[in-house]
Amino acid sequence: MSVTISCGILTVSDRCFAQEAKDESGPNLKRILSEEAKINSSDIITTIVPDDIIRIQGVLVDWCDRKKLSLILTTGGTGFATRDVTPEATKHLIDKEAPGLVVAMISSSLQVTPMAMLSRPVCGIRKSTLIVNLPGSVKGSQECLRCILPALPHALDLLTSNTSAVATTHSTLASGQHKCPHQHKLATASHDRSREDFHKVALRARKSPYPMLPVEEAMRIIMDHTSVLPSIELPLHDALGHVITDDVHATQPLPPFPASIKDGYAVIASDGTGTRTVLDPVTAGDKPDKVTVVSGTCCRITTGAPLPSGADAVVQVEDTELVKSSEDGTIELSVKMLRAVDIGTDIRPIGCDISVGQRVLESGTILGPSELGLLAAVGVNQTKVNSRPVVAVLSTGNELQEPGELPKPGHVYDSNRVLLLSSLKEYGFVAKDMGIAKDSYEFLKESLTSALSQSDIVVTSGGVSMGEKDLLKPILEELGGEILFGRVFMKPGKPTTFVQVPFGGKTKLVFALPGNPVSCAVTFQLFMVPCLRKMSGWKCPHHNKIAVKLGFDISLDQRPEYQRAVLQWKDNGEIPLVATTGIQQSSRLLSMSNANCLLQLPSRDEKHSKLSVGEMVNALLLKHL
Ligand code: AMP
Ligand code: MG
């Protein structure tokens, strides 16, 4: 029989990635898969990453969880060199090991060279994908692949026929193997946690089973799972900050009549300079046919008033002189024009600001005060916009108490909830206060269910680390949620968790943010704000980023860091300087106070361990900068 499969070949090599060496093993493995295993080469994807655990895991997670490939072959990074980490990257991702494949590969290689003893491959299954680590050399990788090739059809048959996974691309692997008689149950959640029991602390996992994703990968997952909310009709007064869903065209010209730009006299231009008899005045709001100007006459006119019939120009009052008035000074009888004007002087012709049919707003525009003014100017009083998400905010932790209460022993005041609620308000989203949930299984489950039922998206803080009371992840999985990621390679914010949960016939999103107040605030800004903006219809939902000059020295961390800082704009047009907000501990909320940007600092490496005053870094602009 045959099984449908799709494959990925991941070359792990610093030198190939940097294009200092040509990747020969990857293409060779692809050739073997297509020529000998008869897999369509269009169903084999390939990529190259450096020997970096995070980069390797990023690709593996993407290929297993999103592309749902049947087979991944890695080549490279399995030896004893310091940078060889492919087995480590693989080990933490797999749900089940496949030691038989390892034994087969090593024993066959040992017959060729004793150096095979130094190979450390890991093979295993993540969800419905088989991952096989092969050596980096063309010869070694090809021998190992050929050694396991006879068993692959049956292995993949077992995997693909016993899961609901749907391969995005299909191919048929030639196989003389028999049909699988057994039902192999694969973990449906991200990780096999069946042996874990969160009621029994001694049985908890001592290492997080969640791979640490690079920030960019986490962001990509968030954006891939975020849908734009449907549109609603809103009166202009309620539409500030919303995104308009349709183009708006003017149905009337603006101005709708020739209007005076100045306070002065409506005249016939060809009359030139000299004295005129003054007719009744025309002021803003009068009808244009109230007066008719004929040669030798003029009429007083105010800014915005319609040009009276007969007139073809306006002479501003500053260019005239009174000749004669009524005795009591209330009526002007004649004035002298000191300056000759051309036809059309100081008149806005019909439609000079906006013509009929002109597009005044494009769909996707964010409605600020000027855009709302523009809509009003063309007579629109309500408009179709994307709705904005309702966000439920829940704090978790037995230690939390409400500010204002007398301090209780072992407690801290809940600062995250008001921080999140008011940040949401500041950005214009609808925030719902779900209070504090105790770290008890039943309480948390009930609070989460209630939060899910009242919102489009839920944000919690606390309860996602490795402590015995960190129950959020298992409870969300029990509610049917899929943990799309459970750790991010960043500082602060490592335990940031993103989940999609089927609820009430819809798919809802949950951001389970870390409890430390700064971690919570930073990850809200970094991950959640773009997600909420996308839901609200923003076309460019990410924070603006600019290059800034450091005003202080920084020691780089092992993880990419998001330091809080204050931008100081210079009036001489120079690149802005940033000042620190002090000690950057993730519990120290003072480091967030007054911060208007997040510095995006790279992780340290062998060559770079610090940044000095005057060096340039990228800063994400927060708030309304
Ligand atoms: P957790 O993420 O639940 O392990 O909490 C990490 C740290 O953040 C602990 O010191 C908690 O006391 C603190 N923390 C958690 N939630 C809050 C909150 N809502 N307000 C202030 N501190 C919190
Ligand atoms: Mg906690």
Side-chain angles (χ1 to χ4, degrees):
M1 75 162 279
S2 63
V3 289
T4 52
I5 68 157
S6 49
C7 299
I9 297 171
L10 175 62
T11 302
V12 182
S13 159
D14 283 337
R15 295 194 60 231
C16 292
F17 182 76
Q19 295 184 337
E20 290 162 13
K22 190 163 176 257
D23 174 21
E24 289 178 2
S25 301
N28 185 50
L29 294 173
K30 183 172 177 179
R31 186 187 57 73
I32 295 174
L33 283 183
S34 67
E35 286 176 10
E36 297 174 30
K38 304 289 177 228
I39 296 171
N40 281 338
S41 50
S42 59
D43 292 339
I44 305 171
I45 53 175
T46 61
T47 194
I48 305 177
V49 290
D51 291 280
D52 178 298
I53 203 157
I54 298 296
R55 303 289 294 271
I56 301 168
Q57 290 189 331
V59 175
L60 293 179
V61 169
D62 181 48
W63 285 2
C64 293
D65 298 6
R66 268 165 301 288
K67 297 212 168 62
K68 300 188 192 306
L69 302 186
S70 316
L71 171 68
I72 299 174
L73 303 178
T74 68
T75 169
T78 58
F80 276 30
T82 330
R83 296 219 12 108
D84 286 338
V85 288
T86 310
E88 286 62 42
T90 310
K91 192 165 63 189
H92 293 298
L93 295 186
I94 55 178
D95 306 317
K96 294 176 177 174
E97 289 180 39
L101 293 174
V102 176
V103 172
M105 290 194 296
I106 293 192
S107 11
S108 107
S109 302
L110 280 173
Q111 292 177 12
V112 182
T113 167
M115 289 303 149
M117 277 184 253
L118 306 186
S119 180
R120 311 179 298 113
V122 166
C123 298
I125 298 154
R126 180 179 170 88
K127 297 188 179 175
S128 55
T129 307
L130 175 62
I131 308 175
V132 177
N133 289 165
L134 300 173
S137 71
V138 176
K139 192 164 169 297
S141 58
Q142 129 179 340
E143 279 162 11
C144 287
L145 176 58
R146 287 217 171 100
C147 155
I148 60 167
L149 215 49
L152 280 187
H154 187 50
L156 299 179
D157 196 6
L158 289 173
L159 284 175
T160 49
S161 58
N162 288 298
T163 70
S164 56
V166 182
T168 46
T169 56
H170 301 288
S171 193
T172 303
L173 179 60
S175 154
Q177 301 294 329
H178 51 276
K179 199 172 171 183
C180 163
H182 309 293
Q183 289 295 306
H184 284 239
K185 192 169 182 317
L186 284 181
T188 48
S190 328
H191 304 275
D192 183 2
R193 307 194 66 175
S194 53
R195 270 161 299 145
E196 263 182 59
D197 179 347
F198 37 76
H199 297 294
K200 296 180 187 159
V201 65
L203 296 186
R204 77 183 145 143
R206 281 173 193 274
K207 280 212 175 85
S208 172
Y210 298 95
M212 262 202 273
L213 299 193
V215 170
E216 302 71 36
E217 172 67 0
M219 199 73 235
R220 196 180 64 72
I221 293 174
I222 292 170
M223 287 313 190
D224 283 355
H225 288 84
T226 302
S227 315
V228 179
L229 292 174
S231 60
I232 47 169
E233 188 100 15
L234 280 185
L236 288 199
H237 290 279
D238 296 331
L240 180 66
H242 281 262
V243 174
I244 196 160
T245 54
D246 297 331
D247 289 355
V248 177
H249 293 92
T251 53
Q252 289 168 27
L254 189 69
F257 49 83
S260 176
I261 296 174
K262 298 273 175 66
D263 293 322
Y265 296 87
V267 298
I268 294 170
S270 58
D271 281 354
T273 54
T275 303
R276 306 275 203 295
T277 305
V278 180
L279 307 173
D280 282 346
V282 185
T283 58
D286 281 345
K287 288 186 182 155
D289 58 2
K290 183 180 164 196
V291 186
T292 300
V293 176
V294 294
S295 186
T297 68
C298 67
C299 103
R300 218 169 64 233
I301 191 163
T302 60
T303 305
L307 192 71
S309 28
D312 57 17
V314 169
V315 176
Q316 62 178 6
V317 68
E318 293 88 336
D319 293 334
T320 65
E321 215 173 70
L322 179 68
V323 176
K324 193 173 170 199
S325 67
S326 62
E327 273 183 13
D328 59 3
T330 56
I331 302 168
E332 292 179 343
L333 298 174
S334 55
V335 289
K336 187 172 177 188
M337 305 299 148
L338 302 175
R339 192 165 71 89
V341 290
D342 294 330
I343 292 176
T345 298
D346 283 337
I347 294 167
R348 286 155 63 219
I350 291 173
C352 83
D353 293 333
I354 297 170
S355 54
V356 179
Q358 185 180 343
R359 185 175 69 184
V360 291
L361 282 182
E362 200 180 342
S363 71
T365 303
I366 301 163
L367 295 175
S370 312
E371 289 70 29
L372 291 169
L374 203 48
L375 288 175
V378 295
V380 170
N381 70 341
Q382 55 178 29
T383 180
K384 250 172 98 181
V385 293
N386 288 115
S387 24
R388 285 195 291 190
V390 177
V391 191
V393 180
L394 178 69
S395 286
T396 74
N398 285 344
E399 78 279 31
L400 300 181
Q401 68 171 118
E402 294 288 359
E405 290 175 358
L406 284 176
K408 298 179 194 163
H411 280 62
V412 292
Y413 292 116
D414 175 8
S415 53
N416 293 353
R417 207 162 92 245
V418 68
L419 185 153
L420 290 171
L421 287 166
S422 43
S423 299
L424 287 162
K425 276 187 207 140
E426 191 179 34
Y427 279 105
F429 305 113
V430 186
K432 282 212 163 167
D433 186 352
M434 305 306 297
I436 299 171
K438 295 276 174 218
D439 289 320
S440 95
Y441 178 80
E442 289 72 24
F443 205 116
L444 270 172
K445 193 167 176 184
E446 199 182 307
S447 301
L448 276 171
T449 310
S450 163
L452 284 163
S453 69
Q454 296 182 44
S455 63
D456 300 302
I457 179 164
V458 175
V459 54
T460 64
S461 65
V464 281
S465 307
M466 292 296 291
E468 65 208 74
K469 299 284 184 195
D470 290 327
L471 300 169
L472 260 289
K473 283 177 173 124
I475 293 176
L476 283 162
E477 280 186 321
E478 272 224 2
L479 289 171
E482 182 185 358
I483 299 190
L484 297 165
F485 60 81
R487 284 198 303 165
V488 185
F489 190 58
M490 65 183 290
K491 182 186 175 183
K494 189 168 80 175
T496 304
T497 298
F498 180 56
V499 187
Q500 74 175 2
V501 190
F503 193 90
K506 293 185 180 165
T507 299
K508 305 229 170 159
L509 299 178
V510 179
F511 279 87
L513 304 182
N516 263 319
V518 177
S519 315
C520 172
V522 167
T523 51
F524 169 81
Q525 291 285 351
L526 192 67
F527 295 121
M528 211 170 156
V529 168
C531 166
L532 294 171
R533 284 176 172 164
K534 182 172 175 193
M535 286 175 103
S536 316
W538 282 43
K539 301 278 180 264
C540 304
H542 295 283
H543 292 290
N544 288 324
K545 194 193 290 195
I546 60 164
V548 295
K549 217 184 246 181
L550 280 180
F552 57 104
D553 294 339
I554 289 179
S555 276
L556 295 175
D557 192 81
Q558 281 173 339
R559 287 175 270 160
E561 188 176 0
Y562 290 82
Q563 285 211 4
R564 288 69 70 199
V566 186
L567 268 180
Q568 291 160 341
W569 302 97
K570 304 245 178 171
D571 17 352
N572 55 8
E574 267 187 23
I575 295 165
L577 195 71
V578 280
T580 181
T581 52
I583 297 168
Q584 299 285 302
Q585 196 154 311
S586 61
S587 53
R588 187 175 170 267
L589 205 44
L590 273 172
S591 73
M592 202 69 205
S593 175
N594 283 326
N596 53 12
C597 69
L598 289 178
L599 302 182
Q600 269 188 317
L601 305 176
S603 53
R604 71 158 72 209
D605 60 30
E606 283 144 22
K607 290 193 194 124
H608 308 99
S609 60
K610 65 181 191 101
L611 293 171
S612 309
V613 174
E615 286 196 64
M616 303 283 289
V617 292
N618 282 332
L620 295 176
L621 303 181
L622 304 179
K623 305 190 179 159
H624 300 296
L625 286 178

